[in-house]
């Protein structure tokens, strides 16, 4: 038969493909195997719908053979085959996918066939390694078999051939080896086996090859002989359906890295199956580090969803609660009802049941890690702990029971991570508050004037350095009936009855001094009072219960919340030298105390890391005081 030309565009496309689309020429084998698998799927599908075309599933397979002498590699399948017309249109037109058409032609309701092909280019990748390709095929729909032969750009010929078996045999005549390119590699048995496991391990049909192995001789087990055996190269069963005990850690790691595009091994693998209302297999991973885009809008959380081993959806969001959004992996269930477009039907109920079960599993795994592998857990927490803390704050605290035992804070006890449970367990006798302090860094917190007395009393203080911390703890309100207490708010309960009385008296005695200071700071503070939390420092700024100073800082960065302010209270240390100075100054000239109040207030703001309203006025006042002192 006369040689036919590829269509004009196709010619250019073919050239482009061979030279530039694929960087990795070994994928040609994956493409040819995928095509064979599609052809087998189609034949199987027909056998289910057409009684005349029944076939036993065990006769559906792919066969690979290499002939070193003739430099040929052959891939055969017992699939649906191609008619002359199909050969012409599917292999004669680049970028035309017969498989995609097959799928489109099916009645929508039965579209449940998992065809790989869709772009119509994979076949031609074989020209990266072959100088000549021969396709011999017989369609299940025809009596005549055909060959299609091409040496690349200059076209192809189609001829009739003798062939009984339905299916397709593709023979590649490999290119000659050059100094750089050793095409002969693809004839090596080990190389072929490796490529099949790498790319085509889950193809559902056996990929077979005759393989040489060493076996003990039957008459003399001491001696070995080389035997050639037919071997199935692919596992066919997906990793998540394999027996857990038979999976090596490297297998999980490789699977994770290739499937979820990470360079690093996962920190934890959670592999389980559930039998019940909805039965499913799950293979979940906690990444070894925070993904670079984890906090960006383009990070897409979700789990892959398979139904009966067939891929359905890449990022099923509803399967993961937001606070476990760092988990990657997949779920495979036989019990999901799919609709025509293969989105999930009965979304709510089925998905909810699934999601609840997954959440519980993840939670249990994290709790176990926290108990049994503390170091690992702390590493995990450094990567993803913020998400758990946000989870407590989210949805009006709905998830606090799930999450409160999973969060950690560094604390003043050795600067190490503690759980809330550990904190409460080692509270001092009579201590009934869980103390915390907020700041930009742990160092800044340590320097807070309010910390001194707590340290003196050896009370453990949790360090809150993330914006969300105080919000989350406010939602918790209590842990094991113990209230949380900011070192910056209200009564810390540090004074003995005696000390309390003493302070009350001091407050009474200095009533007019304190109220005149308060007058000077009318719009700024709610109260000026004697402090019971200071030791060596002169003043500090605290707040009423409710909005704290730290929250004011965080909220001021959010749009539309400029107006939300803490009720500030200026506290003065009655045992500090400055207090006597204030008393003296007040006796001499009550007006001067107003300037002092202003300076002290600004100092307190600075210590808290809050902006002062008028830095210039403040600086000038300090100067005046210095000048005054030396007159
Ligand atoms: P795709 O697989 O994306 O459709 P290909 O270029 O790999 O594109 O293949 C083009 C078409 O050729 C396929 O869609 C299919 O119709 C047909 N084809 C390729 N290989 C085979 C095969 N082994 N058996 C039957 N048909 C095949
Ligand atoms: Mg293909």
């Amino acid at each position: 038969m006369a040689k036919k030309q590829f269509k004009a565009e196709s010619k250019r496309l073919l050239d482009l493909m061979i030279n530039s689309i694929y960087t990795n020429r070994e994928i040609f084998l994956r493409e040819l195997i995928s095509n064979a698998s599609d052809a087998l799927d189609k034949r199987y599908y027909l056998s289910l719908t057409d009684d005349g075309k029944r076939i036993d599933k065990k006769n559906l397979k792919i066969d690979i053979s290499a002939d070193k002498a003739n430099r040929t590699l052959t891939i055969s399948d017992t699939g649906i085959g191609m008619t002359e017309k199909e050969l012409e249109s599917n292999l004669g037109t680049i970028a035309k996918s017969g498989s995609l058409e097959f799928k489109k032609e099916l009645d929508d309701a039965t579209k449940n066939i998992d065809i790989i092909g869709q772009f119509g280019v994979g076949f031609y990748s074989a020209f990266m390694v072959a100088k000549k390709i021969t396709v011999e095929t017989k369609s299940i729909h025809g009596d005549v078999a055909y060959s299609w032969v091409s040496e690349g750009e200059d076209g192809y010929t189609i001829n009739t051939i003798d062939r009984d078996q339905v299916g397709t045999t593709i023979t590649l005549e490999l290119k000659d080896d050059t100094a750089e390119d050793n095409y002969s590699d693809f004839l090596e048995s080990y190389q072929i086996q490796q490529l099949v496991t790498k790319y085509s391990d889950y193809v559902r049909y056996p990929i077979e090859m005759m393989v040489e192995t060493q076996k003990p001789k039957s008459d003399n087990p001491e001696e070995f002989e080389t035997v050639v055996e037919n071997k199935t190269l692919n596992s066919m069963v997906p990793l998540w359906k394999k027996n857990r005990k038979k999976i090596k850690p490297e297998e999980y790691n490789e699977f994770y890295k290739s499937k979820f595009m990470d360079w690093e091994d996962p920190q934890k693998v959670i592999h389980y199956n559930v039998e019940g209302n909805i039965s499913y297999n799950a293979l979940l991973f906690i990444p070894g580090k925070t993904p670079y885009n984890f906090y960006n809008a383009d990070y897409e959380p979700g789990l892959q969803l398979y139904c009966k081993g067939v891929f359905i959806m890449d990022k099923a969001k509803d399967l993961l609660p937001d606070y476990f959004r760092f988990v990657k992996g997949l779920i495979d269930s036989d019990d999901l009802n799919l609709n025509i477009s293969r989105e999930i039907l009965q979304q709510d109920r089925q998905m909810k049941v699934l999601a609840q079960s997954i959440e519980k599993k993840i939670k249990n795994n994290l709790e176990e890690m926290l108990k049994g592998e503390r170091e690992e857990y702390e590493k995990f927490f450094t990567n993803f702990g913020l998400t758990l803390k946000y989870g407590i704050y989210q949805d009006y605290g709905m998830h606090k029971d799930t999450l409160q035992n999973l969060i950690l804070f560094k604390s003043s006890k050795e600067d190490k991570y503690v759980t809330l449970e550990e904190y409460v367990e080692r509270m001092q006798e009579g201590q009934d508050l869980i103390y915390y302090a907020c700041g930009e860094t742990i160092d800044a917190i340590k320097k807070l004037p309010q910390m001194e007395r707590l340290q003196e009393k050896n009370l453990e203080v949790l360090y809150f350095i993330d914006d969300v911390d105080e919000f989350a703890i406010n939602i918790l309100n209590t842990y094991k009936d113990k209230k949380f207490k900011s070192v910056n708010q209200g009564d810390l309960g540090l004074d003995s009855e005696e000390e309390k009385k003493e302070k009350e008296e001091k407050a009474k005695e200095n009533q007019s001094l304190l109220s005149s200071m308060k007058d000077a700071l009318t719009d700024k503070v709610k109260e000026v009072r004697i402090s019971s939390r200071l030791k060596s420092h002169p003043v500090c700024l605290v707040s009423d219960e409710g909005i704290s100073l730290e929250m004011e800082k965080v909220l001021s960065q959010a749009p539309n919340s400029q107006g939300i302010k803490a009720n500030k209270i200026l506290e003065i240390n009655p045992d500090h030298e400055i207090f006597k100075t204030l008393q003296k100054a007040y006796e001499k000239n009550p007006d001067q105390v107003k300037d002092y109040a202003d300076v002290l207030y600004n100092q307190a703001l600075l210590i808290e890391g809050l902006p002062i309203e008028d830095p210039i006025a403040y600086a000038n006042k300090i100067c005046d005081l210095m000048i005054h002192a030396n007159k």
Side-chain angles (χ1 to χ4, degrees):
M1 206 178 259
K3 182 169 279 185
K4 299 199 179 179
Q5 298 290 309
F6 288 117
K7 312 249 155 58
E9 289 79 10
S10 301
K11 219 166 163 173
R12 237 174 299 138
L13 200 58
L14 184 60
D15 186 49
L16 190 76
M17 170 118 39
I18 298 168
N19 297 306
S20 47
I21 286 190
Y22 300 107
T23 47
N24 202 357
R25 69 163 75 100
E26 68 187 25
I27 59 89
F28 83 90
L29 191 59
R30 175 190 75 189
E31 292 302 320
L32 296 183
I33 289 174
S34 298
N35 285 349
S37 168
D38 281 351
L40 290 163
D41 268 342
K42 292 176 207 167
R43 179 139 188 216
Y44 184 60
Y45 177 83
L46 277 186
S47 101
L48 293 180
T49 48
D50 186 339
D51 274 346
K53 298 193 167 64
R54 269 191 192 288
I55 184 167
D56 196 340
K57 207 170 177 187
K58 73 175 198 297
N59 292 325
L60 296 173
K61 57 176 83 170
I62 299 165
D63 193 77
I64 302 181
S65 64
D67 178 344
K68 284 189 183 168
N70 292 310
R71 293 181 62 75
T72 58
L73 183 67
T74 303
I75 295 113
S76 305
D77 63 68
T78 52
I80 194 166
M82 281 178 274
T83 61
E84 184 181 13
K85 234 176 96 198
E86 283 167 339
L87 266 180
E88 178 109 10
S89 70
N90 296 338
L91 299 187
T93 319
I94 298 173
K96 171 142 192 308
S97 171
S99 289
L100 188 65
E101 247 162 50
F102 180 91
K103 209 164 136 179
K104 276 190 189 151
E105 274 167 20
L106 293 179
D107 183 13
D108 263 1
T110 56
K111 231 175 186 174
N112 222 334
I113 174 168
D114 184 37
I115 295 275
I116 306 164
Q118 56 172 326
F119 301 117
V121 293
F123 171 79
Y124 305 95
S125 66
F127 279 115
M128 291 190 292
V129 299
K131 55 182 178 186
K132 182 176 174 189
I133 301 178
T134 304
V135 179
E136 294 168 305
T137 184
K138 184 174 177 197
S139 166
I140 193 150
H141 301 297
D143 296 327
V144 189
Y146 297 91
S147 72
W148 177 101
V149 181
S150 170
E151 293 183 28
E153 285 174 55
D154 63 334
Y156 58 90
T157 51
I158 293 177
N159 286 298
T160 55
I161 53 164
D162 273 344
R163 177 183 168 118
D164 285 336
Q165 208 187 39
V166 169
T168 303
T169 301
I170 297 177
T171 303
L172 311 181
E173 194 178 313
L174 295 187
K175 290 183 182 176
D176 299 326
D177 292 341
T178 66
E180 300 98 62
D181 297 309
N182 196 27
Y183 297 101
S184 305
D185 275 354
F186 296 118
L187 298 170
E188 296 297 338
S189 169
Y190 73 89
Q191 175 80 353
I192 295 167
Q193 294 185 56
Q194 219 174 18
L195 291 179
V196 170
T197 15
K198 181 169 176 190
Y199 291 111
S200 310
D201 208 31
Y202 309 132
V203 166
R204 288 185 300 254
Y205 303 95
I207 303 168
E208 296 178 353
M209 185 166 73
M210 298 304 279
V211 173
E212 280 185 4
T213 44
Q214 299 290 318
K215 281 210 157 164
K217 281 185 174 170
S218 53
D219 50 345
N220 181 3
E222 302 283 295
E223 277 180 42
F224 283 82
E225 62 182 345
T226 307
V227 289
V228 181
E229 276 183 342
N230 195 22
K231 185 178 167 189
T232 300
L233 308 183
N234 55 331
S235 61
M236 291 183 279
V237 186
L239 184 63
W240 58 92
K241 287 204 172 159
K242 281 195 200 165
N243 184 342
R244 251 160 295 166
K245 292 191 191 103
K246 295 203 173 128
I247 304 175
K248 296 191 207 88
E250 306 89 72
E251 273 183 89
Y252 281 129
N253 292 348
E254 287 315 309
F255 179 84
Y256 166 76
K257 285 189 281 195
S258 62
K259 204 158 173 96
F260 299 101
M261 317 240 223
D262 199 345
W263 301 109
E264 277 185 38
D265 289 342
Q267 197 195 355
K268 190 162 184 64
V269 180
I270 306 174
H271 184 189
Y272 67 94
N273 76 312
V274 166
E275 305 283 339
N277 257 350
I278 289 190
S279 304
Y280 69 97
N281 289 287
L283 183 50
L284 310 177
F285 302 92
I286 297 177
K289 63 170 187 343
T290 324
Y292 74 95
N293 63 345
F294 190 59
Y295 296 106
N296 295 353
D298 68 343
Y299 177 83
E300 253 193 281
L303 298 177
Q304 290 192 343
L305 186 65
Y306 288 76
C307 182
K308 300 182 179 133
V310 176
F311 178 78
I312 303 295
M313 208 191 282
D314 192 24
K315 302 271 186 185
K317 262 204 202 115
D318 297 343
L319 293 179
L320 272 185
D322 215 35
Y323 43 87
F324 290 154
R325 63 207 300 273
F326 48 83
V327 174
K328 302 198 174 190
L330 56 90
I331 299 295
D332 188 357
S333 171
D334 288 359
D335 300 341
L336 296 174
N337 296 328
L338 303 178
N339 67 5
I340 311 159
S341 64
R342 303 225 273 170
E343 283 152 13
I344 311 298
L345 263 189
Q346 296 179 344
Q347 266 218 353
D348 273 6
R349 223 185 53 78
Q350 285 186 318
M351 290 293 264
K352 251 186 208 147
V353 175
L354 256 184
Q356 275 167 3
S357 162
I358 294 165
E359 171 185 338
K360 219 162 146 200
K361 272 281 172 192
I362 298 174
K363 182 191 168 218
N364 291 346
N365 267 274
L366 290 175
E367 281 174 350
E368 269 166 34
M369 189 175 12
L370 176 59
K371 254 189 232 135
E373 307 162 273
R374 180 62 172 234
E375 230 171 273
E376 282 295 305
Y377 190 83
E378 288 186 6
K379 182 186 157 204
F380 154 76
F381 196 81
T382 317
N383 286 336
F384 300 111
L386 201 56
T387 311
L388 301 183
K389 292 192 280 192
Y390 272 107
I392 291 183
Y393 177 63
Q394 257 164 18
D395 303 329
Y396 311 101
M398 248 176 81
H399 320 292
K400 62 183 183 186
D401 290 341
T402 312
L403 298 172
Q404 63 183 358
N405 286 318
L406 291 175
I407 55 171
L408 305 176
F409 295 103
K410 291 251 168 97
S411 88
S412 59
K413 185 146 185 159
E414 299 169 351
D415 290 1
K416 279 191 191 147
Y417 273 131
V418 288
T419 63
L420 293 175
E421 195 171 18
E422 287 159 354
Y423 183 102
V424 168
E425 257 164 33
R426 62 189 189 210
M427 273 166 82
Q428 288 181 20
E429 229 180 88
Q431 178 186 348
D432 50 16
L433 295 171
I434 302 173
Y435 294 106
Y436 68 83
C438 303
E440 289 289 314
T441 61
I442 290 179
D443 276 343
I445 294 176
K446 284 183 184 168
K447 286 182 191 145
L448 283 176
Q450 295 91 320
M451 289 292 287
E452 244 177 350
R453 277 204 75 197
L454 287 147
Q455 259 153 1
E456 186 185 53
K457 293 201 180 269
N458 222 349
L459 288 161
E460 183 171 8
V461 179
L462 299 176
Y463 296 143
F464 283 9
I465 51 175
D466 288 320
D467 282 356
V468 69
D469 290 344
E470 202 175 19
F471 290 89
I473 241 62
N474 259 295
I475 292 270
L476 281 186
N477 192 29
T478 59
Y479 179 82
K480 295 204 169 156
D481 294 331
K482 306 284 182 196
K483 265 192 163 317
F484 290 93
K485 190 78 194 172
S486 164
V487 303
N488 259 347
Q489 275 181 315
D491 180 6
L492 298 186
L494 298 178
D495 284 343
S496 63
E497 285 305 310
E498 218 169 291
E499 283 170 316
K500 265 191 204 157
K501 238 186 220 149
E502 217 173 281
K503 268 169 198 155
E504 268 165 32
E505 256 160 49
K506 261 223 171 104
K508 244 186 236 159
E509 282 165 26
N510 296 284
Q511 181 60 45
S512 58
L513 165 64
L514 293 171
S515 64
S516 116
M517 287 180 79
K518 156 78 179 104
D519 286 346
L521 300 170
T522 298
D523 312 327
K524 294 167 182 148
V525 302
K526 195 186 146 205
E527 196 186 341
V528 176
R529 71 181 177 210
I530 300 278
S531 182
S532 58
R533 73 191 89 220
L534 291 174
K535 188 166 174 259
S536 66
H537 295 273
V539 288
C540 70
L541 207 55
V542 302
S543 71
D544 252 355
E545 312 285 339
I547 304 289
S548 73
L549 300 173
E550 203 59 31
M551 288 168 133
E552 178 182 316
K553 256 188 265 175
V554 175
L555 290 171
S556 71
Q557 288 157 20
N560 308 325
S561 55
Q562 297 294 335
I564 302 178
K565 292 244 187 280
N567 277 328
K568 300 186 186 68
I569 296 164
L570 182 66
E571 290 194 348
I572 306 177
N573 184 351
D575 303 322
H576 195 278
E577 199 60 32
I578 197 76
F579 195 67
K580 286 181 202 136
T581 308
L582 285 168
Q583 285 174 317
K584 261 192 234 154
Y586 186 68
E587 270 167 36
K588 254 201 263 170
N589 174 10
D591 272 350
Q592 203 185 3
V593 163
K594 296 200 166 146
D595 278 346
Y596 287 9
D598 197 54
V599 169
L600 289 173
Y601 167 72
N602 281 315
Q603 273 185 12
L605 282 177
L606 286 174
I607 292 169
E608 278 309 317
L610 290 162
I612 51 180
E613 282 151 38
D614 190 343
I616 295 173
Y618 171 68
N620 286 341
K621 263 182 199 160
I622 298 273
C623 277
D624 285 347
L625 288 173
M626 286 158 84
I627 294 163
H628 203 77
N630 285 295
K631 258 191 185 153

